[in-house]
Amino acid sequence: MFRHSQLESVKAWIAHPAHVAMPLHARIQRAIRQLIVDGALGAGKPLPASRALALSLGVSRDTIEAAYAQLHAEGFIDRRVGSGSFVAQMTEFASGHRPFRRDAPPRHQAPKLSKRGNAMFHGGGIHDALLPRPFSPGVPETRSFPLQLWERLERQVRREVGTQALAHGDPQGTEALRRAIADYVNLERGARATADRVLVLTSSQQAMMLCANVLLDPGDRIFIEDPAYHGARKAFDTAGLECVPIRVDRHGIVAKRILAEPRKAKAVSLTPSHQFPTGATLALDRRLALIEWAARHQAWIIEDDYDSEFHYAGKPMACVQGLDPHDRTIYIGTFTKSLFPGLRIGYVVLPPQLVKPMTIARTLLDGHSAPMAQLTLARFMEGGHFGAYVRSMRGIYAQRLEALADLVRKHLPDFVEPRIPVGGLQMPCLLTGDLSERVAIDAGRNAGIELLGLSALHATDDAEAGFLMGFAASTPAEIEVAVKRLANALRAATKR
């Protein structure tokens, strides 16, 4: 018979809310197995008779018999006719060590990770909220997406392609989508792309991880903007690269600092069309200077064109890749911002010599992107729906940006100064009052509002305090409610 503490342990395991979805016999089997694994029931110890244990637990004998049968099948107990059930003699592995030891280290001690694993873990990863709060940066409007049209196109694909869309896809991406992407970036972004140079991925983050690990070795130097998109910096940090921050001014990254740097770097990471988070556009002379620098030093330009579809003051400047005659620029784009995050389709336009290495490397990450979504997106683009949708949302986002700027000036004049961007899905605000950035962010979070602090995006200590306010996912009425709530939260924080 079990000791009282062992019986109570089994009862507690059975009743735990996390286990109630299991059949009763499975819960009893798992509870007894855990006692054996923990060493509370040693090898050779007898188990209670099924009738006695059933009475103690208030269950049927058949339930106990089913639990014991599973424990026996898994090798945890021996059943002897006429003698009863006993913990199996699992005395040694081939190495001579006992499998279950009371002096074993705690099961939940910190794991020993690789250097890269530690860098990934302690870097905190990239967190996208499942249900974004007001002002979460980089979140597009999804309620206006033409879902019925998308579903109709998807049904067309299923009828025409059939079960082929259920099979493994081309690791480089379906040809139809690669052709549609090449046509789009050539027309709208001034790129130099062909379908055979496009690699379809799940996100721009995956593209940066590929660049960091395929093109550079641990210890190699890479120039990055300061401030910079945190996902890019984390991708390079976890690959073991030496990130060298280069200041950004109102004309973009200060290229002369790169040209004057005596120590060579293997790459530079840029958001030239709409610098994250400042919103600056990289000046043409600096673009040309960086193109020549990359060619001279056989370095790479990693161009992240993450939200260029949404430009509210004239047409955006053409991408760097389209200006580069030396094929040293890697152009990264995504549909996460222009369509919806759940699509999980991004892409990269590669120099010809990188297409095969990058495609093969991609097969080691996730194999390929889902063919059905790719084929549907290709049809969405080919039919002119993508361009129409982007134009429609550009107008909506411009109105929302104007509403946010007016409301911030009206309700938050004692706290922040808005910096109106020419594009994008978020507006930078600089703190002007006595509140610290941390206090302001915490006050907003306590009020159900998400603000991304600017200081954390800087590598140096001379950052201006402030935060980003995303506006794309909220209507003007929703923005007004959230701004007033933030104003109340910040006023309350100043009185503490």
Side-chain angles (χ1 to χ4, degrees):
M1 179 57 69
F2 285 156
R3 295 195 305 270
H4 175 73
S5 61
Q6 294 169 340
L7 183 62
E8 290 302 310
S9 176
V10 172
K11 289 180 178 178
W13 210 99
I14 293 172
H16 195 284
H19 307 145
V20 293
M22 291 187 217
L24 184 55
H25 76 275
R27 281 182 271 164
I28 295 171
Q29 178 256 336
R30 297 282 185 91
I32 296 173
R33 186 180 71 180
Q34 197 62 50
L35 290 173
I36 296 171
V37 169
D38 291 342
L41 289 175
K45 294 291 184 181
L47 270 64
S50 58
R51 189 185 306 275
L53 184 55
L55 185 63
S56 298
L57 296 178
V59 301
S60 71
R61 185 181 179 189
D62 288 345
T63 299
I64 301 300
E65 283 294 332
Y68 278 5
Q70 185 62 30
L71 286 166
H72 181 248
E74 293 180 2
F76 284 93
I77 67 173
D78 293 326
R79 308 200 75 183
R80 305 169 195 165
V81 178
S83 300
S85 301
F86 301 83
V87 178
Q89 294 285 343
M90 299 171 292
T91 53
E92 291 183 338
F93 291 119
S95 62
H97 294 292
R98 292 180 60 82
F100 308 117
R101 295 170 46 195
R102 290 182 179 273
D103 60 345
R107 286 181 294 130
H108 301 298
Q109 70 177 11
K112 291 184 177 179
L113 304 177
S114 67
K115 289 181 179 178
R116 185 174 289 115
N118 267 316
M120 290 181 179
F121 176 62
H122 293 295
I126 304 297
H127 300 283
D128 295 312
L130 298 180
L131 295 173
R133 294 177 168 190
F135 305 136
S136 295
V139 180
E141 172 65 81
T142 56
R143 292 169 292 185
S144 301
F145 185 76
L147 196 56
Q148 290 183 333
L149 169 61
W150 184 270
E151 290 172 342
R152 177 165 60 82
L153 296 175
E154 190 174 60
R155 287 195 297 271
Q156 291 178 6
V157 169
R158 282 201 300 268
R159 283 197 303 270
E160 295 176 20
V161 180
T163 57
Q164 182 181 343
L166 308 181
H168 285 287
D170 184 341
Q172 191 177 344
T174 63
E175 184 178 358
L177 180 56
R178 289 189 282 113
R179 187 171 56 247
I181 289 171
D183 290 344
Y184 168 72
V185 296
N186 288 343
L187 177 64
E188 297 293 336
R189 302 298 301 118
R192 297 164 58 249
T194 53
D196 60 333
R197 294 177 61 172
V198 176
L199 171 61
V200 178
L201 301 170
T202 57
S203 64
S204 55
Q205 189 66 36
Q206 186 182 48
M208 285 184 283
M209 290 290 287
L210 272 173
C211 290
N213 288 281
V214 175
L215 303 180
L216 299 104
D217 291 313
D220 282 348
R221 306 175 86 229
I222 180 171
F223 295 126
I224 63 169
E225 298 167 326
D226 187 33
Y229 171 56
H230 51 283
R233 180 180 286 123
K234 288 181 178 182
F236 304 141
D237 281 341
T238 56
L241 309 184
E242 180 188 347
C243 295
V244 182
I246 303 295
R247 184 172 61 85
V248 169
D249 62 20
R250 61 193 182 93
H251 298 297
I253 194 168
V254 181
K256 66 180 181 181
R257 295 277 301 276
I258 293 175
L259 304 181
E261 175 61 49
R263 295 176 59 199
K264 292 182 180 179
K266 294 285 186 69
V268 58
S269 172
L270 303 172
T271 51
S273 297
H274 181 231
Q275 202 278 330
F276 188 92
T278 67
T281 297
L282 185 61
L284 178 60
D285 61 335
R286 298 185 184 188
R287 294 173 183 237
L288 298 176
L290 290 174
I291 288 170
E292 291 308 312
W293 167 85
R296 186 166 60 253
H297 296 284
Q298 290 297 284
W300 300 108
I301 297 173
I302 302 172
E303 179 180 11
D304 182 8
D305 207 20
Y306 64 101
D307 68 357
S308 63
E309 289 84 4
F310 303 114
H311 200 84
Y312 312 124
K315 287 186 67 68
M317 189 181 293
C319 65
V320 172
Q321 191 267 356
L323 299 172
D324 181 3
H326 312 294
D327 283 330
R328 303 303 302 180
T329 301
I330 298 156
Y331 178 86
I332 298 171
T334 178
F335 295 98
T336 296
K337 305 288 192 293
S338 55
L339 293 180
F340 54 94
L343 183 58
R344 305 316 302 152
I345 294 181
Y347 59 91
V348 57
V349 179
L350 294 164
Q353 67 271 31
L354 290 184
V355 173
K356 191 170 183 179
M358 292 286 247
T359 302
I360 290 175
R362 186 273 169 89
T363 65
L364 298 174
L365 296 178
D366 60 353
H368 61 90
S369 297
M372 182 69 75
Q374 292 186 67
L375 293 169
T376 304
L377 175 56
R379 192 152 299 197
F380 190 74
M381 298 179 75
E382 291 164 354
H385 307 299
F386 177 70
Y389 179 70
V390 166
R391 286 191 295 273
S392 172
M393 297 313 296
R394 188 182 297 138
I396 291 172
Y397 291 166
Q399 293 173 356
R400 294 180 178 184
L401 171 59
E402 183 179 4
L404 175 61
D406 290 343
L407 288 163
V408 166
R409 292 190 187 103
K410 180 178 179 180
H411 296 286
L412 300 174
D414 297 332
F415 302 106
V416 298
E417 175 191 336
R419 295 288 176 88
I420 315 302
V422 296
L425 308 182
Q426 56 274 323
M427 180 178 76
C429 291
L430 300 183
L431 286 166
T432 57
D434 296 330
L435 280 182
S436 70
E437 183 179 289
R438 183 73 265 160
V439 169
I441 292 171
D442 288 344
R445 186 167 292 135
N446 292 336
I449 289 171
E450 194 67 29
L451 305 170
L452 177 60
L454 295 177
S455 295
L457 304 176
H458 285 259
T460 53
D461 295 330
D462 58 350
E464 291 183 286
F467 45 75
L468 292 177
M469 300 180 74
F471 56 82
S474 302
T475 66
E478 291 167 340
I479 291 172
E480 182 174 10
V481 170
V483 168
K484 289 179 178 178
R485 196 193 317 161
L486 178 60
N488 291 333
L490 295 182
R491 276 193 291 268
T494 60
K495 297 176 182 177
R496 295 192 188 117

